[in-house]
């Protein structure tokens, strides 16, 4: 049993006791209702929240395991209160675009996951016939790019490939997540930036204009409307797209969207020149844009916050020279998503129950896991994070469990200290220590 004075339940935060049998929540009762002799974890005044579900993580194993890996990523997840990750299909080799590649990835992940792990498949040129078999093999969603992804083995697609792909995915009831930037506005921006310093963040920011996002999101909305298929916008960074998303949803178009902690915490004018650890695509934009993303969350236009944890081998970040245009784009943040988001929520007076909506319930539903994950309720997996929302800590990149220490959060003071993380009732992490062996399982099938 786990009990506490402040348990985040679907209908509010109150004292409660969570009864757990074989990893499943069998009941939620009054705090005092604890059978004599039952093993009890008393969280006292700490918050007990549903374990976070992070549906956007690049583990990169196999093939680029020098960038990240299942053991390091899932240990970081557990230490950050994340009890489920859904791995992205790219940056691993092979990319997860066939059933054989999915099996290769599962073999690589086997026996080294401290949290539960699901998988995305990829939609790439030429793999239309693989989509339905991937659904049957248990992928929780698909991912595609509308412009070059950054790695050669994961090609990008256009309307010609997406229309038939969406027909298959609609029939299977699986959503398509899309990297929403178009190449045209980026190419136009590149022409204007000739001769500008690649060491300045502003140069990088101007190289990925918001119009590239807004136009891509408009295209995706049109596709979702026409194909009547669920389309999900990953890492929305342009507040200019919020009005499009809001109008589409009011019209009943099946489109959803996520944003990430780095877009909600940082702002472009704070990013030092040469600090390539901040480089991601789309880029971190200005402070006004950040506030509008928060409004998008509170008004419900943006559904969820997920990390888009996407590290690489340190030399690819080109940190010594600080060349933004040559550096790999991707922010390392899996272990810090909870405190980064919470620090900003606390500053804005937002309740911890909303953090669970945005970082557990909504991504669980998106990944087709709503009946198993994302809330503290009878019948769901006993995935819990016990944490102190009022305690602060200073981030030391070298002490994180990510494979590499480089992260833009290094040195930041954040609120929200994870005390204990339970995965299906088992302690996966507590007070700086992980369970001796892997506590995670694969999640196959929505
Ligand atoms: Zn990503």
């Amino acid at each position: 049993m786990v009990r506490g004075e402040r348990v985040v339940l679907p209908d509010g935060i109150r004292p409660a006791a969570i009864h757990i049998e074989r990893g499943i929540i069998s009941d939620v009762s009054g705090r005092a209702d604890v059978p004599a002799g039952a093993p009890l974890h008393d969280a006292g005044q700490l918050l007990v929240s549903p374990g976070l579900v992070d549906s956007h993580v690049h583990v990169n194993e196999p093939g680029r395991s020098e960038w990240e890996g299942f053991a390091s990523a899932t240990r970081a997840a557990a230490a950050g209160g994340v009890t489920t990750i859904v791995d992205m299909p790219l940056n691993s080799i092979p990319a997860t675009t066939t059933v054989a590649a999915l099996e290769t990835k599962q073999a690589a992940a086997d026996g080294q996951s401290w949290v539960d792990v699901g998988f995305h498949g990829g939609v790439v040129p030429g793999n239309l016939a693989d989509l339905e078999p991937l659904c049957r093999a248990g992928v929780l969603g698909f991912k595609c790019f509308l412009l070059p992804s950054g790695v050669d083995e994961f090609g990008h697609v256009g309307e010609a490939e997406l229309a038939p792909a969406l027909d298959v995915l609609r029939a299977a009831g699986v959503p398509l997540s899309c990297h929403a930037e178009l190449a045209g506005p980026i190419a136009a921006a590149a022409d204007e930036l000739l001769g500008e310093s690649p060491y300045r963040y502003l140069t990088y920011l101007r190289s990925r204009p918001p119009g590239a996002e807004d136009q891509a999101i408009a295209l995706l909305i049109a596709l979702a409307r026409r194909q009547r298929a669920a389309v999900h916008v990953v890492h929305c960074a342009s507040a200019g797209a919020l009005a499009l998303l809001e109008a589409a949803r009011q019209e009943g178009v099946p489109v959803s969207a996520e944003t990430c902690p780095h877009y909600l915490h940082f702002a472009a004018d704070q990013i030092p020149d040469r600090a390539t650890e901040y480089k991601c695509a789309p880029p971190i934009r200005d402070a006004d844009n950040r506030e509008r993303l928060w409004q998008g969350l509170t008004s419900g236009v943006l559904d969820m916050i997920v990390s888009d944890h996407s590290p690489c081998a340190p030399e690819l970040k080109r940190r010594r020279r600080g060349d933004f245009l040559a550096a790999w784009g991707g922010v390392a943040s899996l272990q810090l998503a909870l405190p980064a988001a919470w620090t900003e929520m606390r500053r804005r007076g937002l309740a911890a129950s909303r953090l669970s909506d945005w970082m557990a319930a909504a991504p669980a539903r998106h990944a087709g896991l709503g009946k198993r994950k994302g809330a503290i309720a009878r019948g769901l997996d006993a995935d819990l994070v016990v944490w102190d929302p009022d305690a602060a800590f200073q981030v030391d990149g070298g002490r994180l469990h990510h494979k590499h220490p480089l992260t833009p959060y290094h040195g930041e003071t954040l609120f929200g200290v994870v005390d204990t993380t339970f995965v299906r009732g088992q302690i996966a992490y507590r007070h700086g220590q992980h369970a001796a062996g892997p506590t995670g399982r694969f999640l196959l099938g929505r």
Side-chain angles (χ1 to χ4, degrees):
M1 300 201 53
V2 176
R3 75 170 176 189
E5 298 289 345
R6 296 195 286 168
V7 180
V8 181
L9 300 171
D11 58 352
I13 300 176
R14 56 185 158 82
I18 303 161
H19 303 242
I20 302 167
E21 282 178 31
R22 293 190 200 87
I24 310 273
I25 299 171
S26 58
D27 197 10
V28 179
S29 69
R31 189 186 165 284
D33 177 18
V34 174
L40 174 67
H41 181 102
D42 196 329
Q45 291 293 333
L46 298 176
L47 270 180
V48 183
S49 296
L52 305 194
V53 175
D54 192 337
S55 54
H56 192 155
V57 177
H58 296 266
V59 178
N60 306 329
E61 186 175 7
R64 288 194 179 87
S65 50
E66 70 278 19
W67 291 17
E68 188 58 283
F70 281 98
S72 48
T74 58
R75 287 167 70 89
V82 177
T83 50
T84 297
I85 63 168
V86 188
D87 176 55
M88 278 297 173
L90 73 156
N91 303 346
S92 59
I93 304 173
T96 318
T97 55
T98 64
V99 170
L102 177 65
E103 287 168 353
T104 302
K105 183 167 278 189
Q106 284 175 248
D110 195 30
Q112 50 167 345
S113 295
W114 268 256
V115 301
D116 284 356
V117 177
F119 303 93
H120 282 98
V123 172
V124 294
N127 84 327
L128 182 63
D130 296 295
L131 304 183
E132 207 269 332
L134 277 165
C135 292
R136 270 188 279 123
V139 296
L140 303 182
F142 283 86
K143 166 82 176 285
C144 74
F145 277 71
L146 303 176
L147 81 179
S149 70
V151 292
D152 292 339
E153 67 280 355
F154 197 91
H156 65 286
V157 290
E159 281 189 81
E161 290 97 351
L162 283 175
L166 284 171
D167 285 340
V168 174
L169 302 192
R170 180 187 60 234
V174 177
L176 177 62
S177 294
C178 303
H179 180 116
E181 284 183 298
L182 290 184
I186 290 173
D191 290 342
E192 286 177 22
L193 289 170
L194 284 174
E196 298 283 331
S197 167
Y199 309 112
R200 297 188 62 205
Y201 182 72
L202 187 61
T203 303
Y204 176 62
L205 178 62
R206 288 171 57 205
S207 78
R208 314 280 302 211
E213 267 194 80
D214 302 348
Q215 290 177 33
I217 289 170
L219 171 70
L220 293 171
I221 289 168
L223 270 165
R225 180 191 291 121
R226 200 169 70 215
Q227 306 299 133
R228 302 187 316 283
V231 170
H232 177 73
V233 175
V234 293
H235 50 52
C236 179
S238 165
L242 296 177
L244 297 173
L245 288 165
E246 184 170 23
R249 293 165 67 120
Q250 279 175 1
E251 189 195 322
V253 177
V255 63
S256 57
E258 68 188 34
T259 190
C260 310
H262 38 278
Y263 302 124
L264 298 166
H265 179 65
F266 298 114
D269 64 358
Q270 305 163 334
I271 300 178
D273 291 343
R274 298 181 191 265
T276 53
E277 61 271 29
Y278 291 85
K279 178 179 176 178
C280 54
I284 295 163
R285 305 192 190 280
D286 65 26
D288 173 64
N289 184 82
R290 177 181 62 193
E291 294 317 304
R292 291 161 66 203
L293 291 177
W294 275 111
Q295 288 163 17
L297 279 164
T298 54
S299 68
V301 178
L302 295 172
D303 302 86
M304 64 192 82
I305 305 171
V306 294
S307 72
D308 191 12
H309 177 68
S310 188
C312 64
E315 58 274 16
L316 296 178
K317 271 297 194 184
R318 318 272 171 138
R319 186 60 178 87
R320 194 170 303 180
R321 292 202 65 202
D323 184 333
F324 276 103
L325 301 184
W328 172 259
V331 165
S333 59
L334 178 54
Q335 192 176 330
L336 299 169
L338 185 159
W342 172 244
T343 299
E344 297 297 325
M345 290 179 66
R346 195 173 181 274
R347 189 170 284 158
R348 290 166 178 79
L350 295 165
S353 55
R354 302 208 74 179
L355 180 129
S356 297
D357 294 340
W358 291 327
M359 303 187 80
R365 281 194 300 273
H366 169 59
L369 299 170
K371 292 202 170 83
R372 298 172 64 179
K373 306 287 189 187
I376 298 175
R378 186 184 301 166
L380 272 64
D381 288 349
D383 296 342
L384 308 169
V385 52
V386 178
W387 59 292
D388 187 343
D390 300 314
F393 67 105
Q394 189 174 36
V395 178
D396 177 349
R399 297 190 62 190
L400 299 172
H401 296 278
H402 304 155
K403 184 158 275 184
H404 301 293
L406 191 64
T407 171
Y409 293 98
H410 179 73
E412 294 283 301
T413 297
L414 300 178
F415 281 92
V417 172
V418 173
D419 180 275
T420 308
T421 303
F422 294 86
V423 174
R424 282 174 286 96
Q426 275 186 281
I427 291 179
Y429 171 87
R430 177 163 166 76
H431 297 171
Q433 299 291 321
H434 287 84
T439 34
R441 283 186 194 161
F442 295 150
L443 302 167
L444 297 171
R446 293 172 61 85

